[in-house]
Amino acid sequence: MSAQKPRTLFDKIWDAHVVETLPDGTALLYIDKHLTHEVTSPQAFEGLRMAGRKVRRPDATIAVVDHNIATDASRYGTIEDPESRVQVETLEKNVKEFGVPYIPLTDKRQGIVHVIGPELGLSLPGMTIVCGDSHTSTHGALGALAFGIGTSEVEHVLATQTLLQKPAKNMRVSVDGTLALGCTAKDIVLAIIGRIGTAGGTGHVIEYAGEAIRALDMAGRMTVCNMSIEAGARAGMVAPDQTTFDYVKGRPFAPKGEGFDRALAWWKTLPSDADAHFDTEVRLDAAQIAPQVTWGTSPEDVLPITGSVPNPAEVADEAKRARMQRMLDYMGLTAGQRLQDLGVDVVFIGSCTNSRIEDIRAAAAIVKGRKVADGVRALVVPGSGLVKEQAEQEGLDRVLKEAGFEWREAGCSMCLGMNPDKLKPGQRSASTSNRNFEGRQGPGGRTHLLSPAMAAAAALAGRLADVRDFQPKGAV
Amino acid sequence: MQAFTTLTGVAAPMPEANVDTDKIIPARFLKTIARTGLGRNLFANLRYRQDGTENPDFILNKEPYRKAEVLIAHENFGCGSSREHAPWALLDFGIRCVIAPSFGDIFHNNSFKNGILPIRLPREVCDQLIEDAKLGQNARVTVDLERQVVVRPNGEEIRFEVDPFRKHLLLNGLDDIGQTMQHAPAIDGYEAKQKAAQPWLYSAAPGV
Ligand code: SF4
């Protein structure tokens, strides 16, 4: 492919994976890596079985349990909830029957699918990566094209290792300058969603660029890419650079030796060409981003922590006004209330957005030598068994436990209400996860999304708090 | 998959933007290994009160919308997660068509694969259809996929666009996998080429 028009990162990965273009422009796209979990796969395997089909490339597939499982010791016994148990058992039966590699609950590499993919070197730059889960966009941080699919598509990939896809539009979100103290990748992505809205990225793949993105470590880039779906985008990506290559090198399933060098040579060709065309461009100034927190039931309802609950009366559009009022009612808020005055019942640090070692370090740095406020339940749920092990080696578990946090086993936990970790109706939580939808963390639960450092500050204050008022007490 | 040709039925108005997949089917109902039976949990958090009884104010609990086959909403319907349980729940309830100004991408895709037709129409048109739908039994809407029109109760026809490939599959009730299997030689060829150029993608299965 020479002398062609300048291409974006997305275009390059896309072009390299088109098996065939159908007459109407739909591409048959080859999939390099397929991650599966217990919730969105049972009906897909069932479909294969009914049609007498096989998994085309078990070696390109990996399965793990994460959504349904308890995050305390009880998970190693029999799963109490009969439906959860059936889902986990069904996955175990399916991986055996179809020869799919599986990481069981008892393996210390078990964890949230979007944490373990990069961590184990299963997800690599330049790959097409899919999973029956919308936050597959996380893996785009490596410079891969990674997106979530439905169960019918899971079945399609299992059977054919391909997907039928229409090309997406290219969007570039540039974050210039440097972040102020106390601000993190989570604040960047919340600010982006606040700017472009939850439908802002619809039909697009977002490439995150600019100085502030380049300066992020891989965990931060994963946090940003993770929430691309909350901006409506199909995927999010960051061009691979030295930070990426250093991260990938030496991971268990990453290429080794000469293989790595060959891979590296290709990865280096991936970044967007200088004059590549983007259908949509958005620019933000990192220095203007303050620590963010959501107040409503959509991730776009976000404000700096210094803000106050907005007033529906000031909204002209009738439907929008009604919607805002409904959100305030659900969230138990009154217009004009200061966000920092909102007391919290639960603090949740975890989820595929913010459960990596860097996130846990950030939280531990804030809580070290301090105590969780009375009456607050605070949980830290590492994203994988390996993250947990690393944190324990660094003594972070001790810091957190001494402060009054629960230190749990890896899983999706309170990110979504389908395992024992749930909010009770009416409870207010400060949560590092990605969705503040009604009932997301349990029916009637009220979620405020924020960064791990902000969550730690909220746990100490017993209310939403500005992390800039809680500077670390010495090194952890 | 059940084919979709034309449909005449009751439309339920849901004049709300960002109806997310957690609203359509809350996570606690994803613990199923079947595709059917989810209809009773459709919009569960809105449809039922905390004691499990029906919330009489919710649109799908009112006559004639209990038998709605079409849903008309505002922007960004089905945003959020990739759960195919959302279209499964709609389908199991009896809804075969959703009309909105825009949709979450994955939901849009998932709908077609389950015989549900998602139709994008401008906000003003959706608002008109919502007003029609409020007339209940007196307002039956027709959706004709072959001719790509929505017929209002007053007989006015509104044209909509649909991807020709998706339309073909939907009209004939075909699933994609069978279609793709016909391209197996091309997939074989792609794999052979990729394996030569990027052997690291074909190293033995992770030893797990
Ligand atoms: S942590 Fe939350 S968002 Fe991530 S995969 Fe699990 S349930 Fe989904």
Side-chain angles (χ1 to χ4, degrees), chain A residues 67 112 114 133 135 351-352 412 415-416 434 440:
Chain A
H67 282 64
I112 305 171
H114 309 309
D133 192 288
H135 292 99
S351 89
C352 57
C412 292
C415 175
L416 92 172
N434 43 51
R440 169 77 179 182

Side-chain angles (χ1 to χ4, degrees), chain B residues 74-96:
Chain B
H74 281 168
E75 288 77 6
N76 208 19
F77 186 90
C79 61
S81 96
S82 66
R83 61 188 69 163
E84 206 153 314
H85 309 69
W88 294 338
L90 287 164
L91 192 66
D92 197 57
F93 180 88
I95 290 173
R96 299 283 321 270

Side-chain angles (χ1 to χ4, degrees), chain A residues 342-348 371-379 403-406 414 423-424 426-430 458-463:
Chain A
L342 301 177
V344 297
D345 306 296
V346 176
V347 171
F348 169 60
K371 289 277 180 231
V372 170
D374 284 347
V376 173
R377 179 182 179 204
L379 308 79
F405 277 85
E406 297 172 29
M414 208 181 266
L423 291 181
K424 298 194 185 87
Q427 276 189 328
R428 186 179 303 285
S429 87
L460 301 174
R463 53 173 176 80

